[in-house]
Amino acid sequence: MAKKAKQQGGGTPATVALTAAGVTYTVHSYDHDPAHPSYGEEAAEAMGVSPERVFKTLVAEVDGALTVAVVPVAGSLDLKALAAAVGGKKAAMADPAAAERTTGYVRGGISPLGQRKRLPTVLDASASAHPTICVSAGRRGLEVELSPGDLATLTGAVLAPIGRD
């Protein structure tokens, strides 16, 4: 399988994981503006990609356990749906410091791939409507484009309708 990696400044744990898995992916980089109000919307605008194809990685707590939710930047996370998708009762957004410590990434650059500790992951079902989607490659200003199937396989994600418009 061909890799379409265009890594600038070395790989991140996410791109290293993709390369090791032999998955086809493309890296997109852009100049991150710290003043932009939304990391995900900034990524979509900078890459010229529809916000429905750019997914943000959120870390929540479901019944006390950290869980990763991957949803389109154009919407928001339905916490009740996330809890249901992993067989839990209650979900809340995780403490940002705990999310950073556990994943090994900084907020705004958390990737669902190559995390320090593998967490249960749920990918919004809308991802399957697209041949490729973009997710953080592990730092602000760096996105990776890959098939939703490859993302689900590599993260062990379940697909469920966890996004809201």
Side-chain angles (χ1 to χ4, degrees), residues 32-117:
H32 166 62
D33 175 5
H36 200 287
S38 166
Y39 297 117
E41 289 175 10
E42 175 191 27
E45 291 166 10
M47 294 186 303
V49 174
S50 164
E52 289 77 26
R53 284 189 47 231
V54 179
F55 283 64
K56 56 189 169 188
T57 306
L58 303 172
V59 181
E61 257 188 58
V62 178
D63 297 340
L66 292 179
T67 303
V68 174
V70 185
V71 297
V73 301
S76 61
L77 172 62
D78 181 335
L79 288 165
K80 284 185 180 185
L82 175 64
V86 295
K89 292 183 183 349
K90 186 177 181 210
M93 293 307 297
D95 173 63
E100 289 179 346
R101 233 184 356 266
T102 305
T103 64
Y105 294 116
V106 298
R107 193 172 61 85
I110 294 178
S111 177
L113 299 155
Q115 295 181 357
R116 185 176 288 151
K117 179 181 179 191

Side-chain angles (χ1 to χ4, degrees), residues 90-157:
K90 186 177 181 210
M93 293 307 297
D95 173 63
E100 289 179 346
R101 233 184 356 266
T102 305
T103 64
Y105 294 116
V106 298
R107 193 172 61 85
I110 294 178
S111 177
L113 299 155
Q115 295 181 357
R116 185 176 288 151
K117 179 181 179 191
R118 188 167 175 161
L119 300 171
T121 302
V122 182
L123 175 59
D124 185 66
S126 69
S128 60
H130 309 287
T132 61
I133 61 171
C134 298
V135 296
S136 175
R139 73 174 167 253
R140 297 172 188 154
L142 197 65
E143 294 280 310
V144 66
E145 182 177 349
L146 73 165
S147 80
D150 285 341
L151 178 62
T153 299
L154 291 174
T155 59

